[in-house]
Amino acid sequence: MSEAVLIEQEPADGSVKADEARPSRAEAFTAWVEQRCATDPGVRSALRRGAGKGLDQVPSMHRLVARWLPADAGEDVQRAYYTVAAMIAAQRRSQYAVPAGPEDGAAEAPGSTPDGPAAGQPDDQTPPARRPRQSLGRTFADAVKADGVRETSAETRLNLLTRQSVDGLHRHLPGAVRQLREAGARVDWALLLADLCRWRRYGGEVKRRWLQDFYRELDPEKVKQAQQADDAADDGVREQ
């Protein structure tokens, strides 16, 4: 599955239909959360209080997140939206992708009210220009290359995440992401949201992509050498 496709396939619990969860939903939601957190301290505080808590323990988040949920979203999908929103809110104000502070007068995300998609408008509005997709494995590698995280520490933490159940992932992920953001590494929130939604059913694919991206990015020369060796072996077989 291409990384450019975010949630168009059935998520972990099978509750979201393909036509109800287009790729732009995740991108629009995460961009909107970043904007609101950067420009409204009250929103940021409300979302931050949900970090590490269950869906029934976050009343302050419902007015902000509920309207963005796909129709008939199951618990896995709901938890993914709430967890990602809380992690975005936990960033330092200087780390948001939009100007920080209500004094900046930043506009709401296109097609949105202060609390979610505008009434009577589709919630799959065209999101801001897309940046290249980046898995969490690539983010760990970037943190290592920036000398923000030791390679052994990043490798250990990433492997720990890939061994988690859905519940375990939601427990361990906020701390890992906080470490990455402190190291200055970019997190692709929309793709991470999609990966969380799909973890229960498609976790094997997601884990493989995270680990492959981590090792590929950290040592591209070894990957290149391995590819050249494979090509040479193929050429040898064809010549026989």
Side-chain angles (χ1 to χ4, degrees):
M1 179 178 174
S2 169
E3 289 187 1
V5 181
L6 294 180
I7 320 178
E8 71 171 354
Q9 290 194 9
E10 182 183 11
D13 58 3
S15 62
V16 181
K17 300 182 179 63
D19 62 349
E20 293 174 336
R22 287 171 278 272
S24 59
R25 180 191 297 275
E27 294 174 317
F29 171 70
T30 53
W32 178 84
V33 171
E34 280 214 87
Q35 183 183 58
R36 292 305 312 278
C37 287
T39 58
D40 189 329
V43 167
R44 182 170 178 244
S45 177
L47 293 177
R48 287 181 69 182
R49 287 198 292 270
K53 296 181 180 178
L55 292 174
D56 297 331
Q57 301 172 302
V58 290
S60 65
M61 297 183 70
H62 297 315
R63 70 180 179 86
L64 298 164
V65 180
R67 300 185 191 188
W68 286 92
L69 296 174
D72 302 321
E75 186 166 324
D76 280 358
V77 174
Q78 293 182 48
R79 289 183 71 184
Y81 273 76
Y82 281 73
T83 293
V84 168
M87 289 191 294
I88 292 174
Q91 300 176 105
R92 295 197 306 270
R93 294 181 70 207
S94 61
Q95 293 178 316
Y96 292 114
V98 295
E103 66 278 6
D104 294 328
E108 295 297 334
S112 298
T113 67
D115 293 330
Q121 294 193 24
D123 59 2
D124 61 345
Q125 297 288 319
T126 301
R130 293 178 179 175
R131 302 169 73 177
R133 295 268 68 91
Q134 176 165 311
S135 76
L136 196 66
R138 169 68 184 273
T139 301
F140 269 99
D142 286 348
V144 172
K145 292 194 296 182
D147 294 325
V149 182
R150 289 182 301 173
E151 182 173 348
T152 53
S153 175
E155 184 177 30
T156 298
R157 196 149 201 177
L158 181 58
N159 275 285
L160 175 65
L161 291 175
T162 60
R163 294 196 297 268
Q164 299 302 313
S165 64
V166 172
D167 290 340
L169 185 62
H170 280 270
R171 284 197 308 271
H172 289 279
L173 192 58
V177 167
R178 184 167 54 251
Q179 181 184 34
L180 293 171
R181 294 300 287 136
E182 289 298 322
R186 176 177 76 89
V187 175
D188 186 332
W189 298 113
L191 182 56
L192 182 56
L193 171 57
D195 287 345
L196 283 177
C197 286
R198 303 172 65 244
W199 193 264
R200 190 182 304 276
R201 184 165 181 178
Y202 300 104
E205 174 192 326
V206 175
K207 297 168 189 178
R208 182 178 70 247
R209 172 160 40 85
W210 286 8
L211 291 169
Q212 288 178 342
D213 287 351
F214 176 73
Y215 291 114
R216 184 183 298 119
E217 185 64 23
L218 272 187
D219 207 339
E221 186 58 35
K222 285 187 178 180
V223 173
K224 181 180 178 181
Q225 291 172 359
Q227 184 62 55
Q228 290 173 341
D230 288 344
D231 292 343
D234 290 341
D235 290 341
V237 169
R238 284 194 292 269
E239 291 174 359
Q240 292 178 359

